[in-house]
Amino acid sequence: MSTSAPACSIPLPESTIPEAELIARATAARAALGDRLVILGHHYQKHEVIGFADITGDSFLLARRGAEATQADLVVFLGVYFMAEAADILSQPHQRVILPDLGAGCHLAECADIFTVNDAWQQITAQFTDRIIVPLTYMNSGADLKAFVGRNGGAVCTSGNAERAFRWAREQGDMVFFFPDEHLGRNTACRLGMQPDAPVVWDPRKPELGGITADALAASEIVLWKGFCNVHTGFTVRQIDDARAAHPGLTVIVHPECPRPVVEAADEDGSTEYIIRRLDELPPGSAVAIGTDWNLVDRLRIQHPDKTVFCLNEHLCPCVTMNRITLPKLTWILESLAAGEVPNVVKVDDDMARDARLALDRMLAL
Ligand code: 13P
Ligand code: SF4
């Protein structure tokens, strides 16, 4: 059964209250909860909520630090559904994970579902009874896909450890089957020294072998799923060329969910945590164009007044699902928790969580 985000009921009354009042109410509720609560926040969250996070990070760091925060029995996740699921899978039995809007999904995660991935797996393994095929899933995937990977000897990876995870997977077997992000997969294969066209791409809409010929599949060491993030595929080489022309000496840093030509045209690529670190390291006076979600880029611009920081695509549509976590919803959640109610709990089925945990633990051990 799929674990994609169910619909949510939005707390309408709070939406009309002035921001200053909401901040005061959320702060009071948060203080009343004390050590019982830990708030985890992904770097793409809106400015109005990220200040409430006790721990901020990329998906890898949040998965690790969330699991360590065992003093709290309540974990509020400021992020998207797959991240809250991962936090629940790694949580202690006494902990509950809460997502302020259960409709905060992820376009990329929705590009793969258990039925089509399982069908692809059956077709691939039937072709090669003499080979060991290792499934790898990106963190941006449903708990059911993480469980599938755990059951079949594979691991989870994030943009922060994809290279290590691919190396590990290649040591375990003859072929890596990676989903759901084609671009992160190709960029990682290139980091391992492969040519961009060396991995084959499985298109779940094609009826047979994902549109790959049997010969091409047999010759391949890496099979990528045809999935993508609608935010990061909004960046282009043309934008990089234009930005370089306008800002001589510009440094361009993009997220590895961007298509390969964009990563090649950039100076550097890395996870959100990497991008933040690089902004700290670059000298004052630097001009930096960043290819990732707008909320993070805007925060970096504010935090580095000694540098010229801008988004590679100023007309980029932000990650709309990350933006579903708003101050009114956070206030509603915190006040509900302080009043003894626990709404919007993200709970992964026990059997699924056990198998998914295998895949997450293999990642954490990398
Ligand atoms: P990071 O793991 O780099 O934080 O990325 C998560 C994500 O959703 C990027 O779009
Ligand atoms: Fe998903 Fe893309 Fe949003 Fe990241 S930016 S959460 S991959 S839709």
Side-chain angles (χ1 to χ4, degrees):
M1 186 180 125
S2 167
T3 58
S4 60
C8 110
S9 60
I10 297 170
L12 277 175
E14 282 82 352
S15 327
T16 56
I17 296 169
E19 187 176 1
E21 187 185 330
L22 285 173
I23 292 172
R25 282 173 50 178
T27 305
R30 201 271 163 265
L33 288 157
D35 287 348
R36 284 196 61 202
L37 170 69
V38 65
I39 304 182
L40 307 178
H42 187 266
H43 294 309
Y44 291 164
Q45 287 291 290
K46 286 164 102 76
H47 301 342
E48 67 194 43
V49 297
I50 197 72
F52 284 92
D54 300 303
I55 301 168
T56 57
D58 63 6
S59 26
F60 180 58
L61 190 136
L62 289 177
R64 270 215 328 237
R65 297 287 304 280
E68 287 161 11
T70 50
Q71 83 290 348
D73 62 304
L74 300 169
V75 180
V76 168
F77 212 110
L78 308 178
V80 290
Y81 200 83
F82 74 81
M83 296 179 178
E85 278 186 330
D88 177 56
I89 292 162
L90 293 169
S91 68
Q92 302 295 316
H94 67 285
Q95 293 181 308
R96 277 174 292 180
V97 177
I98 297 121
L99 187 64
D101 185 336
L102 292 174
C106 164
H107 174 274
L108 171 56
E110 299 295 333
C111 288
D113 65 81
I114 187 66
F115 303 108
T116 42
V117 168
N118 193 43
D119 177 54
W121 178 255
Q122 299 300 335
Q123 291 189 56
I124 296 170
T125 49
Q127 287 279 316
F128 307 113
T129 46
D130 56 338
R131 291 199 204 175
I132 297 173
I133 298 151
V134 183
L136 266 188
T137 186
Y138 192 24
M139 185 64 114
N140 300 38
S141 60
D144 46 5
L145 287 174
K146 292 185 178 77
F148 170 88
V149 163
R151 279 195 300 279
N152 288 290
V156 177
C157 74
T158 71
S159 56
N161 65 9
E163 199 179 327
R164 259 178 290 155
F166 270 61
R167 279 189 207 286
W168 171 86
R170 293 181 86 198
E171 284 160 17
Q172 309 304 306
D174 309 300
M175 184 187 271
V176 179
F177 177 36
F178 178 68
F179 41 86
D181 190 5
E182 175 187 345
H183 305 296
L184 176 66
R186 180 170 299 108
N187 289 322
T188 307
C190 289
R191 276 183 181 260
L192 297 181
M194 299 175 84
Q195 292 300 313
D197 60 357
V200 287
V201 179
W202 186 282
D203 183 346
R205 279 162 292 203
K206 300 276 169 62
E208 268 179 48
L209 288 184
I212 307 167
T213 65
D215 286 349
L217 193 58
S220 174
E221 288 174 57
I222 297 188
V223 181
L224 305 177
W225 192 259
K226 196 173 177 57
F228 64 97
C229 162
N230 55 346
V231 175
H232 289 94
T233 48
F235 297 108
T236 63
V237 174
R238 174 73 188 269
Q239 291 157 6
I240 295 179
D241 292 344
D242 290 349
R244 287 200 199 281
H247 300 269
L250 181 73
T251 300
V252 179
I253 311 178
V254 299
H255 194 279
E257 288 173 14
C258 292
R260 182 68 199 159
V262 173
V263 170
E264 277 176 1
D267 298 297
E268 304 174 29
D269 67 290
S271 73
T272 52
E273 199 67 25
Y274 173 88
I275 294 169
I276 292 167
R277 177 160 52 81
R278 288 297 292 133
L279 262 289
D280 286 337
E281 290 167 355
L282 286 166
S286 302
V288 194
I290 303 176
T292 199
D293 183 63
W294 187 87
N295 283 328
L296 172 58
V297 180
D298 195 52
R299 233 168 357 256
L300 289 171
R301 182 185 62 75
I302 295 164
Q303 288 164 359
H304 294 272
D306 59 334
K307 294 164 196 154
T308 304
V309 180
F310 60 97
C311 185
L312 200 49
N313 178 1
E314 290 294 355
H315 308 291
L316 178 77
C317 176
C319 178
V320 288
T321 48
M322 283 277 180
N323 278 330
R324 289 186 74 139
I325 310 298
T326 59
L327 181 58
K329 289 176 203 165
L330 177 60
T331 306
W332 164 67
I333 283 289
L334 292 176
E335 289 190 335
S336 301
L337 295 177
E341 297 157 31
V342 187
N344 285 21
V345 172
V346 174
K347 179 81 190 96
V348 177
D349 166 85
D350 285 346
D351 289 342
M352 192 185 286
R354 185 200 55 228
D355 292 348
R357 181 149 193 152
L358 287 174
L360 281 163
D361 283 344
R362 285 183 196 123
M363 173 186 84
L364 294 170
L366 282 174

